[in-house]
């Protein structure tokens, strides 16, 4: 059975460890204790909680078929006469989008703007990460 310590679970959900502790303390997310007395969250419980959080976020969506929506802040916009490169920081993720300059102008994308990166892809690569060993 895979378990996650508070800090690991918080990182996976994109929240602070304090927020995750509050969720555990309020009963929103079940947690147990490991042999050292540290709070741990069962991987199955964490996955169910993550799905529920995502479903809550989707309730406010605009009817798009895309399920990969990352809300963030625009950190850079570089335009030439035809194209624009827009960088969005969505939690720990940096999203870079190449679009027409016309589209960037119509969306009025500027540094500091709130934006949602909608990712629709037919190919997604999934790799397993062994706990305690990061992927490089």
């Amino acid at each position: 059975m895979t378990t996650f310590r508070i800090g690991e679970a918080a990182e996976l959900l994109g929240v602070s460890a304090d927020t995750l502790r509050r969720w555990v303390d309020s009963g929103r997310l079940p947690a147990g204790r490991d042999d050292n007395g540290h709070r741990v969250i069962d991987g199955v419980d964490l996955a169910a909680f993550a799905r529920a959080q995502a479903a809550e976020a989707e309730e406010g969506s605009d009817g798009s078929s895309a399920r990969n929506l990352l809300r963030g802040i625009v950190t850079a916009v570089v335009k030439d006469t035809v194209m624009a490169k827009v960088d969005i920081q969505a939690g720990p993720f940096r999203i870079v989008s190449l679009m027409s300059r016309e589209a960037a102008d119509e969306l009025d994308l500027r540094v500091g703007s709130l934006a949602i990166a909608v990712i629709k892809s037919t190919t997604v690569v999934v790799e397993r990460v062994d706990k305690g060993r990061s992927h490089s």
Side-chain angles (χ1 to χ4, degrees), residues 2 11 15 41 43 47 60 76 81 97 99 102 104-105 119 128 131 133 135:
T2 301
E11 183 179 346
V15 298
I41 300 166
T81 56
S97 177
M99 65 183 71
E102 180 181 8
D105 289 343
I119 301 165
R128 183 181 170 129
K131 281 185 78 172
R133 193 179 84 194
H135 179 74

Side-chain angles (χ1 to χ4, degrees), residues 72-79 84-89 94-99 104 109-113 115:
I73 188 168
V74 175
T75 57
V77 179
V78 178
K79 299 176 186 176
K85 179 176 86 88
V86 179
D87 289 37
I88 299 171
Q89 193 67 39
R94 177 178 174 235
I95 313 298
V96 179
S97 177
L98 300 176
M99 65 183 71
L109 295 174
R110 301 175 191 201
V111 172
S113 298

Side-chain angles (χ1 to χ4, degrees), residues 23-58:
W23 289 342
V24 168
D25 292 343
S26 70
R28 285 184 66 192
L29 180 61
R33 300 258 178 199
D34 66 11
D35 294 337
N36 297 318
H38 297 232
R39 286 194 273 193
V40 292
I41 300 166
D42 178 74
V44 173
D45 291 335
L46 185 61
F49 184 80
R51 277 192 305 273
Q53 292 291 97
E56 286 177 23
E58 284 181 12

